[in-house]
Amino acid sequence: MPLRELSAIDNHYMSLALRLAVRGRGFVEPNPMVGAVLVRKATIIGQGWHQMFGGPHAEINALAQATAAPRHATLYVTLEPCCHTDKTGPCTQAIIAAGIKRVVVAIQDPNALVCGKGIAELRGAGILVDIGTLEEQARELNRPFIKWITTRQPYVIAKWAQTLDGCIADRHGQSQWISSSESRELVHQLRGRVDGIMVGIGTVLADDPMLTARPAKLSVCRTATRIILDSQCSLPLSSQLVRTAATTPTLVLHDKLLTGAGLRRARKLAQRGVQCIGIRADKNGTVDPAAALTELGKHNFTNILVEGGPKVLGSLLQKNLLDEGLVFIAPKLAGDQNARYAVEGIALKSINQAAKLKFAKPQSVGPDILLRWQKEAPR
């Protein structure tokens, strides 16, 4: 078969595998989303995806669902098959036992336990393995997993709504509602598929938020941990976050050198179900954002949504810790020099020092415009 024709066929089936992989979003973390398609004589005989953390991998599900014997078939899989035993057995052994003749892999698994070893094992068994089909799409799909497994820090998504002239709240801190109901619904969908939602204590004191995904009946609705950067454990016991901590995970990251009244407040929060963890503070006595992400990575947070406030966003941006941003721009003008803006605390010497972002195509969300930006994908 001509190489060009084979490439088009491979792209077709890998594209299907990627669409299958997306179905695992919100269910498989901290594992990656993976899809697999089994093809024999130009006919799909099996397909599957990694459906839940701890469950069978995509390749195993595709083999189990096969409508015909997979011997001499081609397997398309979006991530290198695993070759070690963890919660499930090695997929490489199942592939070899099934008699599959060719495996097409989008990307190698960045996990050091696998990274090239699964491919080598398949080739050692006489299976033809091709790597790189729709590689960029596969990397894009699993950006959070790739960052977490290689840096042990979660993928960080910033979100805010603003007026056309950049205001996120009026001079009194009032922000309800700048964005449309359609934009807020999209945010709830995002909340329903991340591991955690992070804010600073200033946002909590100003808005008393719940930080949950609503309505509950979403296609994917995880219960994200509410994360508050609160160096002195000032989270009010009367806040909605504390009152619901028994049913919705709530985490306070505070200064590890906390003493006196701060320690007593931490104990009272813990008694009400709030998890309190001490980490490094910066020279200003506020929780260091890099230390916060490192701590969250230890607890298997693969992706978090940061919803403010301006100082938290500023500190993350200044240290180049934001991976993606979602900015909802409402068709409104505030025109108030004393209003609040999205990002604070970055003292630029020149506009040339401003962060340079890569924008995706703008998207209309009701009357609003959604701008999405990303850092270059990790490798």
Side-chain angles (χ1 to χ4, degrees):
M1 181 180 294
L3 185 61
R4 181 178 297 178
E5 186 177 343
L6 180 61
S7 177
I9 291 171
D10 287 348
N11 286 348
H12 170 74
Y13 290 122
M14 188 62 77
S15 180
L16 173 57
L18 286 165
R19 292 198 299 272
L20 290 168
V22 173
R23 298 186 185 185
R25 176 173 283 149
F27 298 101
V28 301
E29 291 83 355
N31 283 351
M33 293 174 279
V34 184
V37 176
L38 200 56
V39 179
R40 194 181 73 176
K41 296 180 180 179
T43 301
I44 296 175
I45 62 171
Q47 51 189 332
W49 66 94
H50 187 29
Q51 298 180 13
M52 64 179 64
F53 179 71
H57 290 181
E59 304 93 314
I60 303 304
N61 284 330
L63 287 168
Q65 192 259 353
T67 57
R71 189 167 185 80
H72 301 308
T74 295
L75 175 68
Y76 294 86
V77 62
T78 59
L79 185 72
E80 176 182 5
C82 68
C83 54
H84 66 287
T85 299
D86 192 4
K87 289 181 171 59
T88 62
C91 292
T92 49
Q93 290 300 306
I95 293 168
I96 293 168
I100 290 170
K101 70 172 182 179
R102 179 174 179 245
V103 177
V104 181
V105 178
I107 57 172
Q108 284 191 355
D109 190 336
N111 186 344
L113 293 173
V114 183
C115 201
K117 300 182 182 72
I119 291 168
E121 185 174 330
L122 294 176
R123 286 174 172 166
I127 297 174
L128 176 64
V129 181
D130 291 321
I131 312 165
T133 299
L134 301 188
E135 176 182 1
E136 292 306 314
Q137 293 91 324
R139 289 189 180 280
E140 179 65 25
L141 176 68
N142 277 309
R143 283 169 65 101
F145 169 75
I146 292 172
K147 183 186 178 186
W148 176 72
I149 203 69
T150 55
T151 69
R152 289 299 170 179
Q153 287 191 346
Y155 185 82
V156 184
I157 306 168
K159 185 279 300 182
W160 69 83
Q162 66 176 54
T163 61
L164 189 59
D165 53 342
C167 299
I168 64 166
D170 64 23
R171 63 175 61 195
H172 306 293
Q174 177 64 33
S175 62
Q176 296 181 350
W177 295 105
I178 288 176
S179 60
S180 65
S181 59
E182 293 91 341
S183 292
R184 297 196 297 275
E185 178 63 27
L186 192 59
V187 170
H188 283 298
Q189 292 177 23
L190 180 58
R191 285 180 175 182
R193 65 173 178 82
V194 295
D195 297 330
I197 303 167
M198 188 166 76
V199 297
I201 183 60
T203 294
V204 176
L205 296 176
D207 299 338
D208 191 23
M210 276 285 286
L211 302 180
T212 54
R214 302 181 302 274
K217 292 182 179 179
L218 297 172
S219 58
V220 177
C221 192
R222 309 179 70 194
T223 302
T225 298
R226 288 93 57 94
I227 305 160
I228 303 94
L229 302 184
D230 181 11
S231 61
Q232 297 301 308
C233 283
S234 302
L235 181 62
L237 299 182
S238 59
S239 66
Q240 292 193 91
L241 294 174
V242 175
R243 296 203 311 268
T244 58
T247 55
T248 305
T250 307
L251 169 63
V252 166
L253 297 177
H254 62 80
D255 184 354
K256 66 180 180 180
L257 301 180
L258 203 61
T259 60
L263 273 180
R264 290 192 291 274
R265 289 193 294 269
R267 294 191 191 102
K268 290 180 179 179
L269 289 171
Q271 290 170 358
R272 286 161 173 79
V274 177
Q275 184 180 11
C276 299
I277 298 178
I279 61 173
R280 183 178 70 248
D282 61 23
K283 62 182 180 181
N284 298 317
T286 58
V287 171
D288 182 84
L293 296 185
T294 297
E295 184 65 34
L296 293 172
K298 292 177 183 178
H299 294 271
N300 293 343
F301 284 82
T302 55
N303 50 36
I304 62 169
L305 177 63
V306 181
E307 297 205 25
K311 291 181 180 178
V312 170
L313 289 169
S315 62
L316 289 166
L317 186 62
Q318 188 169 34
K319 296 192 176 184
N320 196 30
L321 296 173
L322 294 178
D323 299 293
E324 182 177 331
L326 299 175
V327 183
F328 295 88
I329 302 177
K332 301 174 182 177
L333 288 170
D336 186 350
Q337 64 180 6
N338 294 315
R340 298 183 63 188
Y341 292 84
V343 180
E344 295 178 1
I346 300 177
L348 296 181
K349 294 181 179 179
S350 165
I351 194 63
N352 293 326
Q353 295 179 332
K356 297 176 178 63
L357 310 172
K358 178 182 178 182
F359 282 96
K361 184 178 180 180
Q363 175 185 347
S364 293
V365 185
D368 303 335
I369 298 295
L370 170 59
L371 289 180
R372 178 172 178 257
W373 54 266
Q374 289 180 315
K375 286 201 305 189
E376 185 177 350
R379 292 185 176 273

